[in-house]
C-alpha cells in the first residue's frame, strides 16, 4: 500500500478532519444509519440516538440531514480521488499504474465498505448544488483512470477501442465491491485488489496481464457459487 493510501484510509476510519468530537460522532452515526437504512428512511432522531445525543444537539453542528450526507460524500470522494491520483502519477508504465490504481481503489472500497456504500450510492439524495459539487469530484476521479487508459492505448500497451466506455466499466467494477464485500468471506481486501487488477489488465488487453498479480494458489479464480455473500 502506498503512503498516500495508508494516510487516506486512516483518515477515513477516524474522520480526523471533522471537528469537534461531537460533530465527528454525529457524522459516524450518520454513515452507519445511511448505510443500514438508506438516506430517506433515516431521521435526524435516528442519527442523534446512535451518537448518544439529543436531536437538538445535532442541529448545533449540522443544519440539516442533507448537510451531513454532503459532508460524508465530499470527504469520501476526496479520499478516493487522492488514492487514484497518487497511483496515476507515480513512476512506471501504464500497465503498472493501472494495476496500482485498481488494486488501491478496490482495497479502499472493501476496507471502508460502509462509508463507501453511502459515498457511492446516495448521490441522488443530495440537492442540486451539493450534487453538482460531488459530480465535479466524480469527473476528476473518472479523468485519473481515463488518463492512464489513454496513455496505455497510445503507447501500444493496451488494446482499447472505447476508452470512455472502458473507463466506466473499470470504475463500476471497483465501486461495486462496497456493495458485496463481506469481512467474514474467504478473500481479504488485498486479495480482491490483486484479483481485480488482473481482471482489469485483461479487460484493456494489457500485454503483461496476469504478471505480478494473483500469484497465490487459487487466487484470481472467482468461486463457483458466484457473487453472493459467501462467494466473497
Amino acid at each position: 500500500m502506498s503512503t498516500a493510501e495508508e494516510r487516506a484510509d486512516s483518515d477515513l476510519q477516524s474522520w480526523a478532519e471533522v471537528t469537534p468530537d461531537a460533530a465527528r460522532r454525529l457524522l459516524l452515526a450518520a454513515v452507519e444509519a445511511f448505510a443500514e437504512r438508506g438516506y430517506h428512511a433515516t431521521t435526524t432522531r435516528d442519527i442523534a440516538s446512535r451518537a448518544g445525543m439529543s436531536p437538538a444537539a445535532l442541529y448545533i453542528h449540522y443544519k440539516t440531514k442533507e448537510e451531513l450526507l454532503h459532508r460524508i460524500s465530499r470527504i469520501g470522494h476526496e479520499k478516493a480521488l487522492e488514492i487514484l491520483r497518487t497511483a496515476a502519477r507515480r513512476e512506471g508504465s501504464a500497465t503498472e499504474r493501472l494495476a496500482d490504481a485498481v488494486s488501491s481503489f478496490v482495497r479502499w472500497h472493501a476496507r471502508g465498505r460502509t462509508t463507501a456504500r453511502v459515498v457511492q450510492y446516495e448521490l441522488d439524495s443530495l440537492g442540486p448544488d451539493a450534487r453538482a459539487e460531488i459530480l465535479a469530484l466524480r469527473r476528476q476521479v473518472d479523468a485519473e483512470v481515463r488518463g492512464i487508459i489513454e496513455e496505455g492505448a497510445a503507447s501500444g500497451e493496451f488494446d482499447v477501442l472505447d476508452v470512455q466506455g472502458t473507463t466506466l466499466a473499470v470504475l463500476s467494477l471497483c465501486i461495486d465491491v462496497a456493495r458485496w464485500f463481506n469481512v467474514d468471506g474467504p478473500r481479504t481486501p488485498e486479495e480482491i485488489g490483486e484479483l481485480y487488477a488482473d481482471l482489469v489488465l485483461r479487460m484493456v488487453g494489457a500485454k503483461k496481464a496476469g504478471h505480478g498479480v494473483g500469484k497465490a494458489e487459487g487466487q484470481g479464480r472467482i468461486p463457483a457459487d458466484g457473487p453472493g455473500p459467501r462467494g466473497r
Side-chain angles (χ1 to χ4, degrees), residues 77-196:
H77 278 86
E78 287 171 348
K79 301 300 182 183
L81 178 58
E82 179 185 1
I83 289 169
L84 289 174
R85 184 170 285 162
T86 299
R89 299 182 184 183
R90 56 163 280 195
E91 294 184 359
S93 66
T95 298
E96 292 168 333
R97 288 182 288 121
L98 184 59
D100 187 18
V102 169
S103 61
S104 298
F105 203 43
V106 165
R107 288 196 300 268
W108 183 80
H109 281 83
R111 291 189 184 120
R113 59 198 175 280
T114 302
T115 296
R117 283 200 298 273
V118 176
V119 168
Q120 299 292 6
Y121 294 113
E122 289 288 358
L123 175 64
D124 289 340
S125 299
L126 292 171
D129 292 342
R131 189 172 186 274
E133 180 185 343
I134 301 307
L135 284 174
L137 285 170
R138 287 200 176 200
R139 285 192 290 272
Q140 292 180 62
V141 166
D142 179 278
E144 294 297 337
V145 176
R146 186 176 65 249
I148 303 174
I149 296 174
E150 286 175 341
E151 289 179 33
S155 69
E157 287 183 60
F158 302 158
D159 182 11
V160 178
L161 296 177
D162 182 347
V163 171
Q164 185 62 43
T166 302
T167 300
L168 176 61
V170 169
L171 288 171
S172 298
L173 187 69
C174 296
I175 288 169
D176 196 52
V177 171
R179 181 186 60 80
W180 60 255
F181 183 77
N182 182 356
V183 68
D184 296 319
R187 293 177 187 266
T188 66
E190 289 73 23
E191 290 170 338
I192 296 296
E194 288 196 0
L195 170 61
Y196 274 45

Side-chain angles (χ1 to χ4, degrees), residues 42-65:
T42 298
T43 66
T44 54
R45 184 175 294 276
D46 293 332
I47 296 168
S49 177
R50 285 174 185 257
M53 301 166 68
S54 69
L58 184 148
Y59 294 108
I60 296 174
H61 303 284
Y62 301 98
K63 295 178 182 178
T64 63
K65 183 176 69 169

Side-chain angles (χ1 to χ4, degrees), residues 212-230:
V213 292
K215 292 181 179 179
E217 180 64 28
Q219 192 170 321
R221 295 199 299 267
I222 296 177
D225 53 353
R230 287 305 303 171

Side-chain angles (χ1 to χ4, degrees), residues 67-80:
E67 183 179 337
L68 266 166
L69 177 61
H70 182 204
R71 191 165 192 190
I72 292 165
S73 189
R74 185 178 67 247
I75 292 174
H77 278 86
E78 287 171 348
K79 301 300 182 183

